[in-house]
Protein backbone atom coordinates (compact mmCIF):
# COMPACT_ATOMS: atom_id res chain seq x y z
CA UNK A 1 0.00 0.00 0.00
CA UNK A 2 2.08 2.96 -1.22
CA UNK A 3 2.07 6.31 0.53
CA UNK A 4 -0.45 8.53 -1.25
CA UNK A 5 0.04 12.05 -2.43
CA UNK A 6 -2.05 14.60 -0.54
CA UNK A 7 -4.47 14.95 -3.47
CA UNK A 8 -4.94 11.19 -3.95
CA UNK A 9 -5.48 10.71 -0.21
CA UNK A 10 -8.14 13.40 0.04
CA UNK A 11 -9.87 12.18 -3.11
CA UNK A 12 -10.05 8.61 -1.76
CA UNK A 13 -11.56 9.78 1.54
CA UNK A 14 -14.06 12.07 -0.18
CA UNK A 15 -15.13 9.30 -2.58
CA UNK A 16 -15.55 6.94 0.38
CA UNK A 17 -17.59 9.55 2.22
CA UNK A 18 -19.95 9.86 -0.75
CA UNK A 19 -20.37 6.09 -0.97
CA UNK A 20 -18.30 5.39 -4.09
CA UNK A 21 -16.39 2.06 -4.20
CA UNK A 22 -12.72 2.36 -3.33
CA UNK A 23 -10.17 1.90 -6.07
CA UNK A 24 -6.92 -0.06 -5.67
CA UNK A 25 -5.92 -2.18 -2.67
CA UNK A 26 -8.70 -3.07 -0.24
CA UNK A 27 -8.69 -1.41 3.18
CA UNK A 28 -9.04 -3.24 6.47
CA UNK A 29 -12.57 -3.41 7.91
CA UNK A 30 -11.53 -1.57 11.08
CA UNK A 31 -9.96 1.22 9.02
CA UNK A 32 -13.10 1.73 6.92
CA UNK A 33 -15.23 1.75 10.07
CA UNK A 34 -13.00 4.44 11.51
CA UNK A 35 -13.13 6.51 8.32
CA UNK A 36 -16.92 6.37 8.49
CA UNK A 37 -16.93 7.57 12.12
CA UNK A 38 -14.47 10.35 11.27
CA UNK A 39 -16.74 11.62 8.49
CA UNK A 40 -20.21 11.00 9.92
CA UNK A 41 -19.76 11.29 13.70
CA UNK A 42 -16.69 13.45 14.23
CA UNK A 43 -17.28 15.64 11.15
CA UNK A 44 -13.60 15.73 10.27
CA UNK A 45 -12.59 17.36 7.00
CA UNK A 46 -10.42 15.03 4.85
CA UNK A 47 -8.67 18.03 3.30
CA UNK A 48 -7.65 19.52 6.65
CA UNK A 49 -4.27 18.52 8.04
CA UNK A 50 -3.13 19.00 11.61
CA UNK A 51 0.11 18.39 13.45
CA UNK A 52 0.00 16.02 16.39
CA UNK A 53 -1.87 17.43 19.39
CA UNK A 54 0.20 17.36 22.59
CA UNK A 55 -1.77 18.08 25.77
CA UNK A 56 -0.43 20.75 28.18
CA UNK A 57 1.99 19.65 30.92
CA UNK A 58 -0.57 19.97 33.71
CA UNK A 59 -3.10 17.89 31.82
CA UNK A 60 -0.48 15.24 31.06
CA UNK A 61 0.45 15.09 34.74
CA UNK A 62 -3.18 14.40 35.65
CA UNK A 63 -3.42 11.64 33.03
CA UNK A 64 -0.19 10.03 34.27
CA UNK A 65 -1.31 10.18 37.91
CA UNK A 66 -4.57 8.42 37.02
CA UNK A 67 -2.64 5.72 35.12
CA UNK A 68 0.31 5.42 37.55
CA UNK A 69 -0.51 1.89 38.83
CA UNK A 70 -0.78 0.54 35.28
CA UNK A 71 2.32 2.41 34.12
CA UNK A 72 4.31 0.88 36.97
CA UNK A 73 3.05 -2.64 36.21
CA UNK A 74 3.53 -2.35 32.45
CA UNK A 75 6.92 -0.63 32.44
CA UNK A 76 9.19 -3.68 32.82
CA UNK A 77 7.27 -5.54 30.10
CA UNK A 78 7.54 -2.55 27.77
CA UNK A 79 11.27 -2.31 28.39
CA UNK A 80 11.71 -6.01 27.55
CA UNK A 81 9.73 -5.63 24.34
CA UNK A 82 11.68 -2.51 23.40
CA UNK A 83 14.98 -4.36 23.88
CA UNK A 84 13.73 -7.14 21.59
CA UNK A 85 13.11 -4.54 18.89
CA UNK A 86 16.30 -2.60 19.45
CA UNK A 87 17.76 -1.39 16.18
CA UNK A 88 14.43 -1.57 14.29
CA UNK A 89 13.42 2.03 15.15
CA UNK A 90 10.10 1.08 16.73
CA UNK A 91 8.53 3.41 19.29
CA UNK A 92 6.35 2.07 22.11
CA UNK A 93 3.44 4.14 23.40
CA UNK A 94 1.18 3.40 26.34
CA UNK A 95 -1.99 5.44 25.95
CA UNK A 96 -4.66 5.73 28.63
CA UNK A 97 -8.38 5.18 28.13
CA UNK A 98 -8.69 8.80 26.99
CA UNK A 99 -6.20 8.32 24.15
CA UNK A 100 -3.35 10.28 25.76
CA UNK A 101 0.16 8.81 25.64
CA UNK A 102 1.18 8.45 29.29
CA UNK A 103 4.41 6.49 28.73
CA UNK A 104 6.72 5.89 25.78
CA UNK A 105 10.02 4.36 24.78
CA UNK A 106 11.89 5.67 21.75
CA UNK A 107 15.32 6.77 20.58
CA UNK A 108 16.44 10.02 22.25
CA UNK A 109 18.17 11.06 19.05
CA UNK A 110 14.78 11.08 17.28
CA UNK A 111 12.96 13.04 20.01
CA UNK A 112 12.13 16.04 17.83
CA UNK A 113 10.74 13.92 14.98
CA UNK A 114 8.81 11.70 17.40
CA UNK A 115 7.19 14.66 19.13
CA UNK A 116 6.24 16.20 15.79
CA UNK A 117 4.69 12.87 14.72
CA UNK A 118 2.79 12.42 17.99
CA UNK A 119 4.87 9.43 19.08
CA UNK A 120 5.62 11.13 22.37
CA UNK A 121 4.39 11.74 25.91
CA UNK A 122 1.15 13.71 25.99
CA UNK A 123 0.09 13.01 22.40
CA UNK A 124 -3.69 12.84 22.05
CA UNK A 125 -4.79 10.09 19.63
CA UNK A 126 -8.58 9.93 20.09
CA UNK A 127 -10.40 9.55 16.78
CA UNK A 128 -12.32 12.81 17.15
CA UNK A 129 -9.02 14.68 17.56
CA UNK A 130 -6.52 12.82 15.36
CA UNK A 131 -8.74 10.89 12.95
CA UNK A 132 -8.02 7.25 12.18
CA UNK A 133 -5.00 5.97 14.11
CA UNK A 134 -4.08 2.70 15.77
CA UNK A 135 -4.61 4.06 19.30
CA UNK A 136 -7.84 5.90 18.55
CA UNK A 137 -9.37 3.11 16.50
CA UNK A 138 -8.31 0.50 19.06
CA UNK A 139 -10.11 2.54 21.74
CA UNK A 140 -13.20 2.78 19.53
CA UNK A 141 -13.35 -0.92 18.61
CA UNK A 142 -11.62 -2.69 21.50
CA UNK A 143 -9.66 -4.73 18.94
CA UNK A 144 -5.97 -5.21 18.17
CA UNK A 145 -5.21 -3.70 14.75
CA UNK A 146 -2.74 -2.02 12.43
CA UNK A 147 -3.21 1.40 10.85
CA UNK A 148 -0.60 1.51 8.13
CA UNK A 149 0.52 4.66 6.32
CA UNK A 150 -2.39 5.90 4.17
CA UNK A 151 -4.90 4.09 6.40
CA UNK A 152 -4.60 7.20 8.58
CA UNK A 153 -7.37 9.72 8.02
CA UNK A 154 -5.22 12.82 8.46
CA UNK A 155 -2.63 13.07 5.68
CA UNK A 156 -0.11 14.38 8.23
CA UNK A 157 0.16 10.88 9.72
CA UNK A 158 0.37 8.86 6.51
CA UNK A 159 4.11 8.19 6.82
CA UNK A 160 3.49 6.32 10.09
CA UNK A 161 2.74 2.65 10.58
CA UNK A 162 1.10 1.96 13.94
CA UNK A 163 -0.06 -1.28 15.57
CA UNK A 164 -2.04 -1.30 18.80
CA UNK A 165 -3.78 -3.69 21.18
CA UNK A 166 -6.20 -2.95 24.05
CA UNK A 167 -5.37 -3.58 27.71
CA UNK A 168 -8.38 -4.61 29.80
CA UNK A 169 -8.66 -4.29 33.58
CA UNK A 170 -10.03 -6.93 35.97
CA UNK A 171 -13.60 -5.69 35.43
CA UNK A 172 -13.30 -6.19 31.68
CA UNK A 173 -13.12 -2.45 30.96
CA UNK A 174 -10.71 -1.09 28.38
CA UNK A 175 -8.07 0.61 30.54
CA UNK A 176 -5.28 1.47 28.11
CA UNK A 177 -3.76 0.81 24.69
CA UNK A 178 -0.27 -0.40 23.87
CA UNK A 179 1.00 0.92 20.54
CA UNK A 180 4.04 -0.06 18.49
CA UNK A 181 4.87 2.49 15.80
CA UNK A 182 7.38 3.30 13.08
CA UNK A 183 8.16 6.72 11.68
CA UNK A 184 9.05 5.00 8.40
CA UNK A 185 8.17 1.48 7.32
CA UNK A 186 8.06 -0.75 4.21
CA UNK A 187 5.16 0.00 1.90
CA UNK A 188 3.52 -3.40 2.34
CA UNK A 189 0.96 -3.57 5.14
CA UNK A 190 1.88 -7.22 5.71
CA UNK A 191 5.27 -6.03 6.98
CA UNK A 192 3.58 -5.23 10.31
CA UNK A 193 2.19 -8.73 11.02
CA UNK A 194 5.02 -9.45 13.44
CA UNK A 195 4.36 -6.14 15.19
CA UNK A 196 0.72 -7.16 15.67
CA UNK A 197 1.79 -10.48 17.16
CA UNK A 198 4.34 -8.86 19.49
CA UNK A 199 2.06 -6.11 20.77
CA UNK A 200 -0.79 -8.57 21.40
CA UNK A 201 1.49 -10.92 23.33
CA UNK A 202 2.90 -8.02 25.36
CA UNK A 203 -0.61 -6.87 26.28
CA UNK A 204 -1.53 -10.33 27.54
CA UNK A 205 1.54 -10.27 29.80
CA UNK A 206 0.62 -6.82 31.14
CA UNK A 207 -2.92 -7.99 31.88
CA UNK A 208 -1.60 -11.05 33.71
CA UNK A 209 0.85 -8.93 35.72
CA UNK A 210 -2.02 -6.59 36.64
CA UNK A 211 -4.11 -9.58 37.74
CA UNK A 212 -1.30 -10.93 39.92
CA UNK A 213 -0.59 -7.50 41.41
CA UNK A 214 -4.21 -7.14 42.50
CA UNK A 215 -4.56 -10.73 43.75
CA UNK A 216 -1.92 -10.74 46.47
CA UNK A 217 -4.26 -12.17 49.11
CA UNK A 218 -5.99 -14.64 46.79
CA UNK A 219 -5.22 -18.10 45.51
CA UNK A 220 -4.68 -17.99 41.74
CA UNK A 221 -5.25 -21.14 39.67
CA UNK A 222 -3.34 -21.12 36.39
CA UNK A 223 -4.32 -23.42 33.54
CA UNK A 224 -2.38 -23.99 30.34
CA UNK A 225 -2.29 -26.54 27.56
CA UNK A 226 1.48 -26.70 27.97
CA UNK A 227 3.43 -26.36 31.25
CA UNK A 228 5.97 -24.26 29.34
CA UNK A 229 3.50 -21.36 29.42
CA UNK A 230 2.53 -21.45 33.09
CA UNK A 231 5.21 -18.91 34.04
CA UNK A 232 4.56 -16.53 31.14
Amino acid sequence: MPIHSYTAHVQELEAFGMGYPLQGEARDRAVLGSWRRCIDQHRLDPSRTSEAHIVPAGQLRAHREESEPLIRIARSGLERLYQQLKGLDYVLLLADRHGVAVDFLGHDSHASDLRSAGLYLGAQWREDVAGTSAVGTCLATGEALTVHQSDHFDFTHTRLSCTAAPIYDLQGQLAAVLDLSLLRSPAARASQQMALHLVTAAVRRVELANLMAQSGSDWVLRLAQSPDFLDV
Side-chain angles (χ1 to χ4, degrees):
M1 189 181 296
I3 296 176
H4 285 192
S5 69
Y6 169 78
T7 300
H9 188 68
V10 172
Q11 287 177 342
E12 181 180 11
L13 286 167
E14 289 178 340
F16 173 79
M18 291 185 288
Y20 294 115
L22 295 179
Q23 304 296 317
E25 188 171 345
R27 300 283 180 179
D28 187 76
R29 172 187 56 83
V31 169
L32 295 179
S34 176
W35 283 9
R36 182 54 63 193
R37 287 189 297 275
C38 288
I39 294 170
D40 294 348
Q41 296 180 26
H42 308 316
R43 302 294 181 183
L44 299 182
D45 181 353
S47 66
R48 184 175 179 273
T49 60
S50 177
E51 290 297 319
H53 177 68
I54 307 294
V55 302
Q59 195 174 332
L60 172 59
R61 188 160 50 249
H63 281 275
R64 283 178 60 84
E65 287 174 357
E66 179 184 331
S67 301
E68 180 57 33
L70 184 59
I71 294 173
R72 189 169 59 251
I73 289 169
R75 184 70 186 193
S76 63
L78 300 192
E79 289 175 348
R80 281 199 303 273
L81 177 57
Y82 188 68
Q83 287 303 314
Q84 290 176 349
L85 298 168
K86 200 169 184 177
L88 298 179
D89 289 334
Y90 275 100
V91 179
L92 270 68
L93 287 182
L94 181 67
D96 67 6
R97 60 192 177 91
H98 308 290
V100 175
V102 293
D103 199 8
F104 99 111
L105 289 169
H107 292 287
D108 292 338
S109 59
H110 298 164
S112 178
D113 289 341
L114 295 178
R115 183 179 176 85
S116 176
L119 304 181
Y120 208 75
L121 276 178
Q124 170 57 268
W125 283 107
R126 271 198 341 257
E127 273 188 348
D128 62 317
V129 175
T132 303
S133 71
V135 170
T137 304
C138 182
L139 284 172
T141 64
E143 301 174 1
L145 50 84
T146 295
V147 174
H148 183 65
Q149 296 182 352
S150 59
D151 288 340
H152 289 85
F153 189 89
D154 190 323
F155 182 76
T156 306
H157 307 310
T158 55
R159 64 175 177 153
L160 305 177
S161 184
C162 308
T163 298
I167 300 173
Y168 287 93
D169 62 21
L170 301 190
Q171 288 71 48
Q173 300 298 311
L174 204 164
V177 170
L178 179 58
D179 175 88
L180 193 57
S181 292
L182 281 170
L183 279 172
R184 298 168 187 83
S185 65
R189 196 174 196 277
S191 66
Q192 300 310 303
Q193 279 299 112
M194 181 58 73
L196 185 61
H197 169 75
L198 289 173
V199 78
T200 302
V203 158
R204 298 289 82 80
R205 290 194 294 271
V206 170
E207 290 178 337
L208 178 57
N210 189 36
L211 169 64
M212 299 306 294
Q214 298 188 43
S215 304
S217 60
D218 301 319
W219 287 94
V220 177
L221 176 64
R222 288 169 153 184
L223 304 176
Q225 292 180 328
S226 169
D228 295 337
F229 291 97
L230 284 175
D231 292 328
V232 172

